[in-house]
Amino acid sequence: MTSLPLSILDLAEIGPEETAGDALAGAVDVARRAEGLGFRRVWYAEHHNMPTIASAATSVLIAHVAAHTRTIRVGAGGIMLPNHSPLTIAEQFGTLASLHPGRIDLGLGRAPGGDQATFRALRRDLAAADRFPEDVLELQGYLSETSRIPGVEAIPGRGTELPLYILGSSLFGAQLAAVLGLPYAFASHFAPQALEQAVALYRREFRPSEQLREPYVIAGMNVIAADTDEEAQAHLLAARRRRAKLLLGRGRRLSPKELDALLASPAGQQVEVMLRHTAVGTAADVAEQLTAFASHARADELILAAAGPDRQAKLRALDLVAQAHGLPAAA
């Protein structure tokens, strides 16, 4: 049993033979289960043009889930700010904060959330990522009582003081979060290479702010928990094959044997790197691995991406993690 907070990153995945509507209904089921089990928050990420992910309209999904839960924090992990104007995001999340006071989080990233064709379809400005620090400050102003743009206010939004989080997988995000005195969430569940260096930089250079007095690190980790180790290992193999198909399959129909060949190739090492920080096994095994990873990452909180062949397997994984980790179940 430990006091380390655990949260959920839900990709709102569209499973085989499912519609987007099925996936969005499933996201509500996951959030309700996480709330009942005592997880701190559930976040959704802005991904575009991905046939298996239904969270593209992130603020809309957050509104839906928040309306169908009672206490769990619900937020973006994250909004890709260069895809939007800061005022638009301030108004959207100001509305959410007004509807669900004290329950909404806003995590911010600077990636496009899709490929180059999607980048163009979003009408994204090539220089937008370079303005990310300034846009974060502008957004922060809209959510406070003092806008940085004279004569322009976010309504709803002004005065909500909505908590911001900087997301990243590199030293850039760590540096920015430290300078602004904001919590830092590292995407170690799929891009683990710079984890140790980024967290060290963030903690070393952190400057206190009105939002945060001490550094706060959230680290991402994949979780595959099952009732037996054999079942967990089977789920891990399925997860590795899904990643290989997504990253290397180029839209082809591939057999399990062909996917295993891809995984064994030099290109397949990309999948192994992405899954480096994955807790796999029975409840007790996974709880031990989570504790060890939190120490390694110097994390104040873990946000877990549950992997499984279907939603029921993911829900079962959450049950097992909460039971073994000693989360305080909601009343």
Side-chain angles (χ1 to χ4, degrees):
M1 182 175 294
T2 176
S3 60
L4 180 74
L6 298 182
S7 296
I8 301 297
L9 175 65
D10 184 4
L11 296 179
E13 291 182 275
I14 305 172
E17 311 303 322
E18 281 192 339
T19 66
D22 295 329
L24 297 173
V28 172
D29 292 339
V30 169
R32 284 175 166 169
R33 181 71 64 87
E35 180 176 72
L37 291 170
F39 287 87
R40 174 168 289 187
R41 65 185 98 236
V42 58
W43 278 2
Y44 306 96
E46 180 186 345
H47 291 291
H48 298 283
N49 193 32
M50 294 189 179
T52 61
I53 295 179
S55 57
T58 314
S59 59
V60 179
L61 177 55
I62 290 170
H64 181 66
V65 172
H68 286 82
T69 51
R70 297 183 299 109
T71 57
I72 193 168
R73 298 191 68 89
V74 187
I79 289 292
M80 302 299 107
L81 189 55
N83 292 346
H84 314 273
S85 76
L87 178 60
T88 296
I89 296 304
E91 291 170 340
Q92 290 178 5
F93 279 79
T95 300
L96 290 168
S98 299
L99 290 169
H100 307 285
R103 293 184 56 207
I104 304 298
D105 299 328
L106 177 48
L108 302 168
R110 63 179 184 131
D115 57 20
Q116 287 299 312
T118 306
F119 182 99
R120 292 190 292 272
L122 287 167
R123 304 297 192 270
R124 179 164 161 152
D125 179 357
L126 287 171
D130 297 333
R131 296 195 302 269
F132 182 64
E134 292 79 9
D135 284 351
V136 172
L137 289 172
E138 183 180 336
L139 172 60
Q140 194 173 45
Y142 290 135
L143 297 171
S144 72
E145 295 289 356
T146 308
S147 171
R148 291 175 176 266
I149 308 299
V152 179
E153 303 284 353
I155 303 172
R158 184 182 65 193
T160 57
E161 305 293 348
L162 189 73
L164 302 183
Y165 301 75
I166 298 297
L167 278 58
S169 58
S170 69
L171 302 187
F172 178 90
Q175 181 79 54
L176 181 62
V179 169
L180 298 183
L182 296 176
Y184 181 49
F186 192 91
S188 36
H189 62 293
F190 74 91
Q193 295 90 326
L195 171 64
E196 297 86 354
Q197 190 178 2
V199 171
L201 184 152
Y202 169 71
R203 290 193 175 279
R204 182 175 66 249
E205 300 193 10
F206 179 84
R207 303 175 187 173
S209 67
E210 290 187 12
Q211 177 177 329
L212 192 65
R213 304 309 300 170
E214 300 288 341
Y216 194 87
V217 173
I218 303 174
M221 190 176 194
N222 302 292
V223 169
I224 300 175
D227 291 292
T228 67
D229 187 62
E230 291 76 14
E231 185 181 5
Q233 292 299 325
H235 291 177
L236 174 61
L237 177 58
R240 294 171 72 241
R241 287 171 173 169
R242 285 196 302 274
R243 294 283 182 107
K245 182 177 181 180
L246 177 66
L247 297 173
L248 308 171
R250 299 177 183 175
R252 295 173 291 167
R253 290 182 178 273
L254 298 171
S255 68
K257 184 177 180 179
E258 290 170 321
L259 290 170
D260 290 343
L262 277 178
L263 286 166
S265 71
Q269 292 306 300
Q270 180 182 358
V271 174
E272 301 306 317
V273 170
M274 292 178 71
L275 292 174
R276 179 184 302 165
H277 296 307
T278 301
V280 183
T282 61
D285 294 333
V286 166
E288 183 177 339
Q289 293 170 58
L290 293 180
T291 301
F293 173 69
S295 177
H296 170 76
R298 301 173 63 192
D300 301 290
E301 178 180 339
L302 298 183
I303 189 160
L304 310 180
D310 53 44
R311 191 168 297 110
Q312 288 307 311
K314 295 176 184 178
L315 290 171
R316 180 57 180 159
L318 298 186
D319 292 342
L320 293 170
V321 168
Q323 174 186 342
H325 194 76
L327 290 180

